[in-house]
């Protein structure tokens, strides 16, 4: 333990500023996954000696062998190689090896949900207990960011900082201002800072539920929702949200359940809108199967025992992540109908997803299928030519959950097309 160093919480702000400038504030980031690694790299890139700690020994060894692990997080690969070269960053598996010598400890640990939609804080609690033993007084901060766009967010979005002990707030503000060239907003306390994050994410969950319900109605009314949203966008106070096969990922559904579970401690009737939004979004996979059944019916087929190709399994475009992805629910529903499932996702080549082997390329995936379900709008699917479906499928049935296929050109090619909310097309 480095006892010669002055505790950062006992330093004046001027002393902290100087230590930051001289690169003497040492950082450890515990949990170097999707959020923790970009965070650690940002600290290291600002000149502060940073160590990543993770229980995943494979990840730690990959990092120490200079292999950048987050291929779908653009921009950080360059920073990664740069900070490793400058010896500002490395990774270890044991907390006890680095925490005692760190001035600031950042936790970026998984906070998933269990089967009852209750957040699982076990990783946080276990690390917290360890920290208790290792720390006398250290500054511990939380983190937020959007996968696939983390560098952009770190460069543009204001950062919220807070602390349990309010004396620490100016210290964290100073440290964050050194690392991130954006506005740093000190919040009155941690629960208010967290409420901002929950509010922005729950807002999206509710609004996606709203457009999902509109989509169901517009299909019946013969209205194309894409045309409606694109035009509504022209009004200054409308914020566009788009329908889809459900809402997944480690944030939106989890945050909605977090706020619902908290509200239940006070009043079971609070936040009914969030409950309803969750139900609507969780029911969307059933709607996808209905669209599929309807389209297959047009060619005299049923879902049962058919061969269906799934394009895209990630919970959102351009990331390699299937946490709570709607594709998982859709695959379960297809399995119940004994469907022969083929999967192609450019982020999951030659691997196994939801117990199904994935295909190596689009053509092999689509060839001989009765229908295609386009679930995730990865950029690689933007250039799909609908003629491909007509040429190599048993029946050219396409259900687009992403809104990225132009129904008119699909139909012109001879494709039997269904899309979420694409009434009247
Ligand atoms: N992914 C997102 O969209 C996102 C966005 C903003 C905030 N967050 C929050 O960031 C936090 C981290 O999420 P993530 O998406 O980076 O998760 P992740 O699963 O990608 O990374 C977490 C890392 O922690 C490691 N880990 C697990 N238990 C550990 C332990 N006991 N000790 C050390 N390491 C351990 C795992 O091996 C993994 O590498 C969560 O609280 C999440 O809510 C996530």
């Amino acid at each position: 333990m480095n006892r010669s160093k002055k505790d950062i919480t006992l330093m004046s702000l001027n002393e902290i500023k100087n230590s930051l400038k001289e690169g003497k504030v040492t950082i450890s980031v515990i949990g170097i996954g999707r959020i923790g690694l970009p965070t650690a790299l940002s600290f290291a890139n600002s000149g502060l000696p940073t160590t990543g700690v993770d229980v995943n020994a494979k990840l730690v060894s990959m990092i120490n062998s200079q292999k950048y692990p987050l291929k779908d997080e653009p921009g950080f690969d360059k920073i990664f190689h740069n900070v490793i070269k400058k010896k500002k960053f490395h990774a270890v598996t044991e907390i006890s090896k680095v925490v005692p010598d760190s001035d600031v400890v950042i936790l970026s640990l998984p906070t998933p949900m269990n089967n009852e939609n209750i957040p699982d804080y076990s990783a946080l609690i276990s690390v917290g207990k360890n920290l208790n033993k290792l720390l006398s007084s250290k500054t511990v901060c939380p983190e937020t960011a959007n996968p696939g766009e983390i560098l952009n967010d770190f460069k543009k979005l204001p950062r919220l900082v807070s602390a349990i002990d309010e004396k620490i707030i100016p210290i964290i503000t100073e440290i964050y201002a050194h690392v991130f060239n954006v506005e740093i907003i000190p919040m009155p306390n941690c629960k208010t800072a967290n409420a901002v994050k929950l509010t922005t994410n729950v807002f999206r969950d509710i609004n996606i539920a709203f457009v999902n319900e509109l989509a169901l109605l517009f299909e019946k009314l013969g209205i194309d929702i894409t045309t409606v949203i694109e035009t509504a966008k022209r009004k200054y106070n409308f914020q566009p949200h788009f329908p889809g096969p459900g809402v997944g990922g480690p944030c939106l559904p989890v945050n909605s359940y977090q706020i619902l579970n908290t509200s239940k401690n006070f009043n079971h009737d609070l936040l009914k809108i969030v409950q309803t939004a969750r139900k609507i979004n969780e029911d969307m996979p059933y709607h996808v199967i209905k669209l599929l059944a309807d389209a297959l019916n047009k060619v005299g087929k049923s879902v049962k025992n058919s061969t269906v190709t799934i394009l895209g399994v990630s919970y959102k475009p351009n990331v390699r992540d299937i946490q709570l992805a709607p594709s998982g629910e859709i695959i379960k529903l297809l399995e119940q109908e004994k469907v022969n499932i083929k999967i192609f996702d450019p982020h999951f080549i030659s691997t196994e997803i939801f117990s199904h082997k994935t295909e190596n390329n689009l053509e092999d995936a689509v060839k001989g299928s009765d229908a295609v379900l386009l679930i995730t709008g990865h950029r690689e699917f933007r250039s799909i030519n609908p003629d491909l479906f007509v040429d190599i499928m048993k029946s050219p049935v396409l259900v687009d959950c992403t809104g990225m296929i132009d129904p008119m050109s699909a139909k012109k090619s001879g494709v039997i097309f269904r899309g979420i909310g694409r009434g009247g097309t």
Side-chain angles (χ1 to χ4, degrees), residues 150-381:
I150 295 179
L151 188 61
N152 192 41
D153 283 358
F154 279 6
K155 281 183 175 167
K156 290 196 177 141
L157 287 185
R159 310 286 314 220
L160 311 185
V161 294
S162 196
I164 293 167
D165 176 350
E166 67 180 34
K167 286 199 303 279
I168 307 294
I169 297 178
I171 298 176
I172 302 183
T173 306
E174 203 57 58
I175 295 169
Y176 266 64
H178 173 81
V179 177
F180 300 101
N181 193 17
V182 293
E183 185 187 357
I184 309 292
I185 308 180
M187 299 302 286
N189 48 47
C190 293
K191 65 181 176 188
T192 311
N194 195 41
V196 175
K197 178 183 163 113
L198 293 188
T199 302
T200 55
N201 281 347
V202 176
F203 172 87
R204 281 178 49 67
D205 204 19
I206 292 170
N207 278 285
I208 295 168
F210 170 55
V211 289
N212 275 338
E213 279 216 305
L214 283 183
L216 304 190
L217 179 66
F218 288 177
E219 283 171 23
K220 293 197 192 312
L221 294 178
I223 297 170
D224 182 3
I225 196 155
T226 309
T227 311
V228 173
I229 294 173
E230 287 303 324
T231 317
K233 229 162 82 172
R234 308 281 294 273
K235 190 171 175 216
Y236 59 88
N237 58 359
F238 178 79
Q239 244 193 53
H241 289 79
F242 296 92
V247 175
C251 283
L252 266 57
V254 179
N255 286 174
S256 285
Y257 280 114
Q258 276 169 343
I259 206 154
L260 277 173
N261 289 324
T262 306
S263 78
K264 277 184 197 149
N265 293 333
F266 304 97
N267 179 344
H268 275 262
D269 262 354
L270 269 177
L271 295 176
K272 286 199 284 284
I273 190 169
V274 184
Q275 262 172 52
T276 309
R278 275 286 82 228
K279 168 98 181 79
I280 294 165
N281 290 336
E282 284 168 9
D283 280 350
M284 287 310 286
Y286 295 94
H287 183 62
V288 172
I289 302 299
K290 263 194 208 157
L291 290 175
L292 174 68
D294 184 46
L296 279 170
N297 191 30
K298 281 268 170 220
V299 290
K301 295 182 179 178
S302 64
V303 176
K304 205 163 203 71
N305 298 320
S306 62
T307 297
V308 173
T309 300
I310 288 180
L311 299 183
V313 283
S314 299
Y315 77 90
K316 71 169 190 174
N318 310 322
V319 295
R320 188 184 197 280
D321 195 338
I322 52 160
Q323 291 178 74
L324 302 176
S327 58
E329 284 308 306
I330 292 169
I331 287 169
K332 263 190 220 156
L333 295 174
L334 294 176
E335 283 167 349
Q336 284 164 17
E337 295 297 323
K338 307 262 180 295
V339 168
N340 171 29
I341 299 169
K342 295 169 86 180
I343 296 177
F344 175 66
D345 186 310
H347 292 272
F348 296 94
I349 298 285
S350 299
T351 179
E352 209 171 271
I353 291 294
F354 301 123
S355 312
H356 294 270
K357 275 206 179 114
T358 60
E359 304 284 334
N360 292 336
N361 62 68
L362 181 67
E363 284 202 30
D364 284 352
V366 168
K367 199 185 267 170
S369 281
D370 296 304
V372 165
L373 279 181
L374 175 53
I375 294 182
T376 314
H378 290 312
R379 59 175 74 86
E380 289 83 350
F381 296 143

Side-chain angles (χ1 to χ4, degrees), residues 371-419:
V372 165
L373 279 181
L374 175 53
I375 294 182
T376 314
H378 290 312
R379 59 175 74 86
E380 289 83 350
F381 296 143
R382 273 189 213 142
S383 53
I384 288 184
N385 181 349
D387 289 345
L388 172 79
F389 302 122
V390 181
D391 294 345
I392 62 175
M393 289 175 69
K394 259 199 232 151
S395 46
V397 166
L398 169 65
V399 177
D400 177 16
C401 307
T402 69
M404 70 199 301
I405 300 281
D406 172 32
M408 288 308 164
S409 53
K411 284 179 184 172
K412 244 188 229 156
S413 300
V415 169
I416 312 292
F417 178 88
R418 294 290 181 279

Side-chain angles (χ1 to χ4, degrees), residues 29-38 53-57 59 70 92-93 95 107-112 121-124 126-127 130 143-147 150 197 201 249-252 254-255 258 315-316 321 323:
V29 178
I30 306 180
I32 40 174
R34 165 74 61 182
I35 302 296
L37 182 61
V53 187
D54 206 292
V55 283
N56 182 345
L59 174 69
L70 276 180
V92 299
T93 49
I95 293 184
L107 306 186
S108 193
L109 295 158
T111 44
Y121 296 124
S122 51
L124 208 55
S126 120
V127 171
N130 254 334
E143 278 301 326
T144 60
N146 183 21
I150 295 179
K197 178 183 163 113
N201 281 347
C251 283
L252 266 57
V254 179
N255 286 174
Q258 276 169 343
Y315 77 90
K316 71 169 190 174
D321 195 338
Q323 291 178 74

Side-chain angles (χ1 to χ4, degrees), residues 8-180:
I8 197 163
T9 60
L10 303 176
M11 288 184 188
S12 71
L13 280 185
N14 256 343
E15 282 178 298
I16 293 174
K17 248 184 211 158
N18 287 337
S19 290
L20 286 166
K21 258 192 226 146
E22 289 164 12
K24 286 187 179 157
V25 176
T26 49
I27 311 288
S28 54
V29 178
I30 306 180
I32 40 174
R34 165 74 61 182
I35 302 296
L37 182 61
T39 301
L41 294 176
S42 301
F43 276 82
N45 199 36
S46 78
L48 305 179
T50 304
T51 310
V53 187
D54 206 292
V55 283
N56 182 345
K58 224 169 128 190
L59 174 69
V60 167
S61 114
M62 199 175 169
I63 287 173
N64 291 334
S65 345
Q66 304 189 26
K67 288 189 190 118
Y68 176 65
L70 276 180
K71 296 271 181 287
D72 56 351
E73 208 55 73
F76 280 105
D77 44 351
K78 226 169 144 188
I79 300 176
F80 173 83
H81 292 294
N82 195 22
V83 294
I84 290 204
K85 206 164 104 199
K86 288 187 176 157
K87 299 203 179 337
K88 290 287 178 197
F89 179 65
H90 71 287
V92 299
T93 49
E94 277 169 57
I95 293 184
S96 57
K97 285 212 170 126
V98 284
V99 162
D101 287 332
S102 302
D103 295 305
V104 179
V105 181
I106 296 172
L107 306 186
S108 193
L109 295 158
T111 44
M113 279 191 307
N114 66 17
N115 290 341
E116 274 107 48
N117 298 328
I118 308 284
D120 170 2
Y121 296 124
S122 51
L124 208 55
I125 292 168
S126 120
V127 171
K129 281 185 183 154
N130 254 334
L131 285 180
N132 237 356
K133 288 181 222 147
L134 296 167
L135 297 175
S136 50
S137 138
K138 291 277 182 283
T139 308
V140 185
C141 326
E143 278 301 326
T144 60
N146 183 21
E149 295 172 44
I150 295 179
L151 188 61
N152 192 41
D153 283 358
F154 279 6
K155 281 183 175 167
K156 290 196 177 141
L157 287 185
R159 310 286 314 220
L160 311 185
V161 294
S162 196
I164 293 167
D165 176 350
E166 67 180 34
K167 286 199 303 279
I168 307 294
I169 297 178
I171 298 176
I172 302 183
T173 306
E174 203 57 58
I175 295 169
Y176 266 64
H178 173 81
V179 177
F180 300 101

